[in-house]
């Protein structure tokens, strides 16, 4: 598996070189938008204001809307000045119990893979955290952005999961609809609900769940791949302008020649 980042996992005075690799391979199908008439590819242009004038990349600046129609312009230099200092260190600041981390905080997951020369130190930390039943909380800088992360033993390797910050998780009070207190629930109906839940309770086996929609879309694509449509490039305004210019040039060239022929004919007739 390809490493996307290389750094140092550390706690206390122990340092372990590691490679960061993606832990997931998301299966999604991406479609292009085509013009229905000729299957030519739809393109998007960046335009300014209501005039629709296309803007070059070098003429675009970054702005944050502070009030309707009013912006603060932020330059690349502004962001560079506050960019987190580049670091190859993933320092575990503390250990916490896994059950203390609300699942809502987990974001993207990666594997921290040991390098051969430090495999023993990696294994010692891995087994020690596994026996203690703890997760390491750390910070790391990845692609010029700082992340909070949880590092935990999973199936013989460390999994690093980036975490959302507290103010990024929406409080359940914002979606509360006044659910009745447990004491107000009918005992008989609650017992029936528990009975139904118990009858459906099993061990979680991820392998038995499949992305049926993805499989069906890919099968559909395979069935149509034998007879693909070909996009026809659409004539642009520039081509039409060139044709008009050629026709105008020919017409302008023919006029003097026609006039010259007519003059010679007139002289000859006299």
């Amino acid at each position: 598996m390809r490493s996307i980042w290389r750094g140092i996992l550390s706690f206390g005075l122990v340092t372990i070189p590691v490679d960061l690799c993606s832990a997931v391979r998301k299966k999604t199908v991406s479609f292009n938008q085509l013009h229905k008439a000729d299957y030519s590819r739809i393109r998007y242009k960046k335009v300014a204001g209501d005039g629709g004038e296309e803007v070059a990349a070098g003429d675009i600046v970054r702005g944050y809307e502070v009030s309707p129609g009013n912006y603060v312009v932020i330059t690349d230099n502004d962001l560079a000045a506050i960019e987190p200092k580049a670091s190859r260190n993933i320092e575990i600041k503390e250990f916490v119990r896994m059950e203390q981390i609300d699942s809502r905080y987990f974001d993207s997951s990666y594997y921290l893979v040991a390098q051969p020369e430090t495999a023993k130190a990696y294994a010692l930390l891995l087994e020690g955290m596994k026996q203690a039943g703890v997760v390491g909380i750390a910070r790391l800088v990845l692609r010029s952005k700082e992340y909070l992360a949880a590092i935990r033993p999973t199936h013989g390797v460390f999994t690093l999961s980036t975490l959302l910050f507290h103010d990024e998780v929406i409080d359940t009070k914002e979606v509360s609809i006044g659910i009745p207190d447990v004491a107000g629930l009918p005992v008989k109906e609650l017992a029936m609900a528990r009975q139904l839940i118990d009858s459906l309770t099993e061990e979680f086996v991820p392998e038995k769940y499949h992305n049926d929609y993805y499989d069906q879309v890919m099968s559909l694509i395979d069935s149509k791949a034998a007879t693909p449509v070909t996009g026809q490039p659409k004539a642009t305004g520039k081509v039409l302008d060139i044709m008009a210019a050629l026709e105008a040039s020919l017409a302008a060239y023919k006029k003097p020649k026609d006039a010259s022929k007519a003059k010679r004919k007139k002289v000859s007739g006299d």
Side-chain angles (χ1 to χ4, degrees):
M1 185 174 290
R2 186 175 64 88
S3 171
I4 61 174
W5 185 89
R6 176 167 287 186
I8 302 291
L9 175 63
S10 67
F11 74 107
L13 299 177
V14 179
T15 59
I16 307 169
V18 291
D19 288 313
L20 188 75
C21 304
S22 293
V24 297
R25 188 181 293 113
K26 293 184 178 180
K27 289 188 173 183
T28 57
V29 181
S30 297
F31 294 101
N32 293 316
Q33 291 188 328
L34 307 177
H35 185 202
K36 185 177 180 180
D38 58 8
Y39 300 117
S40 58
R41 181 84 175 270
I42 300 298
R43 306 289 181 182
Y44 291 95
K45 296 180 179 180
K46 294 181 179 180
V47 298
D50 297 328
E53 181 183 353
E54 188 172 0
V55 181
D59 294 327
I60 298 175
V61 297
R62 185 185 292 105
Y64 182 87
E65 190 172 29
V66 292
S67 60
N70 296 308
Y71 301 87
V72 171
V73 174
I74 303 296
T75 68
D76 290 341
N77 290 336
D78 292 332
L79 293 178
I82 60 172
E83 190 175 277
K85 187 178 179 181
S87 173
R88 290 287 173 182
N89 193 35
I90 306 172
E91 184 181 359
I92 297 177
K93 297 293 187 180
E94 61 183 357
F95 294 101
V96 301
R97 294 281 178 183
M98 181 65 185
E99 58 270 21
Q100 293 178 320
I101 305 177
D102 192 312
S103 60
R104 293 175 299 169
Y105 286 87
F106 286 98
D107 194 11
S108 300
S109 293
Y110 304 87
Y111 291 134
L112 288 177
V113 182
Q115 295 178 17
E117 63 273 16
T118 54
K120 184 178 178 181
Y122 182 99
L124 285 170
L125 178 60
L126 185 74
E127 185 59 27
M129 288 175 60
K130 182 179 177 182
Q131 291 185 11
V134 295
V135 175
I137 302 298
R139 286 179 182 261
L140 80 153
V141 176
L142 186 63
R143 301 187 186 97
S144 302
K145 183 178 178 181
E146 187 177 44
Y147 293 89
L148 184 66
I151 300 168
R152 63 190 190 278
T154 50
H155 305 288
V157 69
F158 277 122
T159 294
L160 181 150
S161 296
T162 55
L163 299 174
L164 299 171
F165 287 99
H166 177 69
D167 57 0
E168 293 180 294
V169 177
I170 298 174
D171 195 301
T172 55
K173 292 178 182 177
E174 294 187 33
V175 294
S176 176
I177 55 173
I179 296 175
D181 187 79
V182 176
L185 296 175
V187 176
K188 187 175 180 180
E189 292 178 14
L190 179 58
M192 290 181 66
R194 276 298 311 273
Q195 186 178 356
L196 177 59
I197 291 168
D198 291 342
S199 68
L200 294 172
T201 300
E202 297 181 14
E203 291 290 329
F204 178 58
V205 182
E207 294 81 4
K208 74 178 183 180
Y209 298 99
H210 301 279
N211 189 342
D212 294 332
Y213 178 71
Y214 174 84
D215 293 340
Q216 290 171 4
V217 171
M218 292 308 299
S219 294
L220 177 63
I221 290 172
D222 289 341
S223 69
K224 292 193 172 192
T227 55
V229 297
T230 302
Q232 299 297 324
K234 201 171 183 181
T236 65
K238 288 185 178 179
V239 173
L240 293 176
D241 290 342
I242 292 172
M243 290 296 294
L246 288 171
E247 290 173 355
S249 299
L250 283 171
Y253 177 71
K254 286 178 70 177
K255 283 180 181 178
K257 287 190 70 175
D258 292 344
S260 178
K261 284 181 181 180
K263 186 176 182 181
R264 288 199 301 269
K265 188 175 182 181
K266 186 176 181 183
V267 171
S268 175
D270 292 341

